[in-house]
């Protein structure tokens, strides 16, 4: 009991920052014998107490000068959580001023200028994400009551308190800057005069992913596919409506994966549904997949009979046992049968493969062509199911709740099955 009373004043002195002299006001609570002059500290604790109360010199942090470019901004330039006029001036120079030039322009803005805006936003978003992560990270790894009690004696609570102060500062200034960058990027990309290129779309998705604000991504995906295109050299600006089935209007799978990762991180299930609907479920993505992966094989299959007939006619000249026309027909039928049977087995093997499936599989009766065409959709839905369900394989099937039931119903409407019984562990 005597040792506990000795540690308690020391802990209060450390957390309140007023020293042990401030404890003399609490004689009535702790007892008059445990004052600053009469506390039974050992030599080691007195030395530690003097070290804690000794003021530390303030370290000057380097800041960015006016001539510093956005590419040269490092972690040291924002060591203090986004404080200083230099950082604000650099943000206004590299992002806000260029964004205003794009938005206030009466003509079609230069594509290079628009790309520079999003590249600058992406670099600032990287700095904010790194600073937020390092500022909120707790330097102590032990959080048990015994470890906290020992930390009072060893003086380890100073960096812990500093980390909490940094986290509080980052929660106000960091969120304000993140909101400013997010809204600025959305205003630029949603401006009717701005033509959205794949590079701009990739930068925008990366910015919102780093800032943790992916709620505008479905709308941007819709604009990327169907936003009116400004006609060059038109004054006033005229627009043409693009086709939503155009292959170039599809959202790349890598960008869709990044957007879905951001939505999963904030645990927004309806947002995950919208991202999937406006990316891999869009008509442009299916048309693009057909031309990228199926057009060449189908073209080869269509030209194969002509090539095989030419080959059969040439091979028929190397025999003398039957008529040349009869030999040509026999060779043609044999080669066509071999190619046709082999291609059929290959198509069935590709479309029915389920090694890549985790929790979401196709329902019985789904056509093979639809399975192949919608495989990316099933893959992204499988990611969502894996993120909302239990991570332990032996606990799968025990999930419950409103979100889980909505996810199961949404998957069933799309011709898929969540946690098919015969494919679960131990149910083979």
């Amino acid at each position: 009991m005597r040792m506990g009373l000795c540690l308690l004043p020391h802990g209060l002195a450390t957390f309140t920052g007023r020293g042990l002299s401030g404890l003399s006001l609490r004689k009535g609570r702790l007892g008059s014998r445990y004052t600053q002059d009469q506390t039974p500290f050992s030599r080691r604790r007195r030395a530690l107490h003097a070290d804690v109360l000794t003021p530390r010199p303030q370290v000057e942090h380097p800041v960015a000068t006016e001539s510093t470019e956005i590419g040269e901004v490092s972690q040291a330039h924002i060591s203090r959580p986004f404080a200083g006029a230099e950082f604000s001036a650099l943000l206004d120079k590299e992002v806000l001023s260029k964004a205003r030039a794009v938005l206030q322009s009466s003509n079609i803005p230069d594509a290079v200028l628009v790309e520079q805006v999003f590249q600058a936003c992406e670099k600032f978003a990287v700095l904010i994400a790194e600073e937020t992560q390092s500022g909120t990270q707790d330097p102590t790894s032990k959080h048990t009551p015994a470890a906290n009690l020992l930390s009072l004696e060893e003086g380890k609570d100073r960096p812990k308190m500093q980390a909490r102060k940094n986290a509080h500062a980052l929660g106000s200034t960091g969120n304000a800057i993140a909101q400013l960058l997010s809204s600025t990027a959305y205003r630029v990309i949603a401006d009717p005069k701005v033509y959205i290129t794949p590079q701009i779309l990739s930068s925008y998705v990366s910015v919102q992913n780093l800032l943790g604000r992916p709620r505008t991504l479905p709308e941007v995906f819709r604009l990327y596919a169907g936003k009116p295109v400004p006609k060059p050299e038109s004054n006033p600006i005229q627009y043409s409506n693009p086709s939503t089935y155009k292959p170039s209007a599809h959202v790349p799978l890598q960008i869709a994966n990044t957007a879905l990762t951001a939505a999963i991180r904030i645990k927004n299930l309806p947002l995950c549904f919208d991202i999937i609907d406006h990316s891999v479920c869009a008509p442009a993505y299916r048309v693009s997949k057909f031309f990228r992966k199926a057009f060449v094989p189908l073209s080869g299959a269509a030209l194969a009979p002509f090539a095989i007939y030419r080959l059969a006619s040439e091979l028929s000249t190397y025999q003398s046992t039957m008529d040349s026309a009869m030999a040509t027909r026999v060779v043609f039928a044999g080669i066509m049968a071999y190619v046709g049977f082999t291609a059929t087995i290959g198509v069935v093997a590709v479309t029915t493969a389920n090694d890549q499936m985790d929790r979401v599989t196709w329902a019985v009766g789904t056509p093979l062509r639809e399975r192949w065409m919608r495989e990316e959709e099933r893959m992204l839905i499988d990611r969502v199911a894996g993120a909302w369900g239990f991570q332990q394989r032996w606990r799968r099937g025990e999930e419950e709740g409103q979100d889980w039931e909505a996810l199961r119903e949404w998957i069933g409407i799309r011709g898929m099955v969540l946690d098919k019984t015969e494919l679960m562990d131990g149910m083979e």
Side-chain angles (χ1 to χ4, degrees):
M1 186 66 184
R2 186 179 183 87
M3 180 62 67
L5 292 177
C6 293
L7 290 177
L8 181 59
H10 183 61
L12 289 174
T14 304
F15 276 97
T16 57
R18 294 177 297 180
L20 292 176
S21 58
L23 295 176
S24 59
L25 300 176
R26 303 186 180 184
K27 290 183 180 180
R29 181 180 300 179
L30 300 178
S32 60
R33 56 178 180 174
Y34 294 111
T35 60
Q36 180 181 1
D37 298 331
Q38 299 177 356
T39 303
F41 279 180
S42 62
R43 294 181 179 180
R44 179 173 176 271
R45 291 179 180 173
R46 290 178 181 177
L48 179 62
H49 168 66
D51 179 71
V52 170
L53 296 182
T54 302
R56 303 297 184 187
Q58 298 294 331
V59 180
E60 296 293 336
H61 298 280
V63 294
T65 60
E66 295 181 358
S67 60
T68 305
E69 298 295 336
I70 181 63
E72 301 176 0
V73 178
S74 61
Q75 192 71 15
H77 295 149
I78 52 173
S79 296
R80 296 178 181 179
F82 317 113
E86 293 82 1
F87 183 80
S88 300
L90 188 62
L91 180 65
D92 182 78
K93 173 186 175 183
E94 298 295 336
V95 179
L96 302 182
S97 61
K98 295 180 179 179
R100 285 193 294 267
V102 172
L103 296 175
Q104 296 175 2
S105 175
S106 59
N107 300 323
I108 300 176
D110 188 10
V112 177
L113 178 61
V114 178
E115 291 181 1
Q116 290 178 355
V117 172
F118 285 99
Q119 290 174 1
C121 289
E122 188 173 1
K123 292 179 180 179
F124 273 96
V126 170
L127 294 178
I128 292 174
E130 292 178 353
E131 183 69 15
T132 305
Q133 183 178 5
S134 61
T136 56
Q137 185 177 4
D138 195 346
T140 59
S141 58
K142 299 179 180 179
H143 302 280
T144 60
N148 293 336
L149 187 61
L150 292 176
S151 67
L152 300 180
E153 182 180 359
E154 298 175 1
K156 293 182 179 179
D157 53 341
R158 289 174 57 86
K160 189 173 182 179
M161 291 182 60
Q162 185 65 28
R164 291 177 179 176
K165 293 180 180 179
N166 291 340
H168 179 71
L170 289 171
S172 56
T173 57
N175 287 336
I177 296 179
Q179 179 62 30
L180 177 63
L181 285 175
S182 177
S183 60
T184 301
Y186 177 75
R187 289 184 59 189
V188 171
I189 203 171
D191 189 78
K193 304 185 299 295
V194 175
Y195 175 72
I196 306 176
T197 62
Q199 294 78 12
I200 292 177
L201 179 64
S202 177
S203 298
Y204 180 82
V205 173
S206 178
V207 168
Q208 302 296 355
N209 180 31
L210 292 170
L211 298 178
R213 288 168 168 78
R215 291 178 175 84
T216 58
L217 294 181
E219 176 64 19
V220 172
F221 288 165
R222 187 189 65 81
L223 292 176
Y224 180 73
K227 184 180 181 181
V229 180
K231 296 181 179 180
E233 300 179 358
S234 60
N235 192 10
I237 302 177
Q238 299 179 358
Y239 301 91
S240 61
N241 295 324
S243 175
T244 57
Y245 290 87
K246 187 171 58 175
S248 59
H250 81 281
V251 178
L253 182 60
Q254 182 180 1
I255 296 178
N257 267 314
T258 304
L260 187 62
T261 301
I264 291 175
R265 187 181 297 115
I266 65 173
K267 293 297 181 181
N268 192 329
L269 189 59
L271 181 61
C272 295
F273 295 163
D274 292 340
I275 289 176
I276 294 175
D277 285 335
H278 290 85
S279 57
V280 295
C281 294
Y285 186 87
R286 298 185 179 182
V287 174
S288 173
K289 183 177 181 179
F290 173 80
F291 281 103
R292 287 184 291 110
K293 297 184 177 182
F295 181 75
V296 174
L298 291 178
S299 300
L303 297 176
F306 302 97
I308 293 174
Y309 185 83
R310 179 64 180 174
L311 178 62
S313 62
E314 291 293 335
L315 291 177
S316 64
T317 60
Y318 291 95
Q319 56 83 33
S320 58
T321 58
M322 66 179 68
D323 182 55
S324 177
M326 177 63 69
T328 300
R329 290 192 292 268
V330 171
V331 174
F332 176 78
I335 297 178
M336 280 295 297
Y338 174 78
V339 173
F341 293 155
T342 305
T344 302
I345 294 174
V347 170
V348 172
V350 170
T351 54
T352 59
N354 59 359
D355 295 338
Q356 77 280 6
M357 301 180 184
D358 187 20
R359 305 196 65 170
V360 179
T361 56
W362 294 107
V364 178
T366 305
L368 296 183
R369 64 179 184 277
E370 187 175 349
R371 295 188 181 191
W372 176 81
M373 184 64 71
R374 299 174 55 195
E375 174 58 27
E376 288 78 11
E377 175 186 354
R378 189 214 58 80
M379 181 184 65
L380 296 186
I381 296 176
D382 208 345
R383 285 192 57 197
V384 176
W388 256 259
F390 290 122
Q391 301 301 319
Q392 301 87 348
R393 298 186 64 89
W394 57 273
R395 297 196 62 186
R396 292 184 177 180
E398 301 178 2
E399 294 89 353
E400 58 183 10
Q402 184 177 0
D403 287 349
W404 187 255
E405 295 301 326
L407 178 61
R408 185 186 298 275
E409 182 180 358
W410 187 73
I411 291 175
I413 293 175
R414 293 176 173 267
M416 306 176 194
V417 179
L418 177 60
D419 291 338
K420 185 179 290 187
T421 306
E422 56 268 22
L423 297 180
M424 297 180 67
D425 292 344
M427 298 294 181
E428 295 84 355

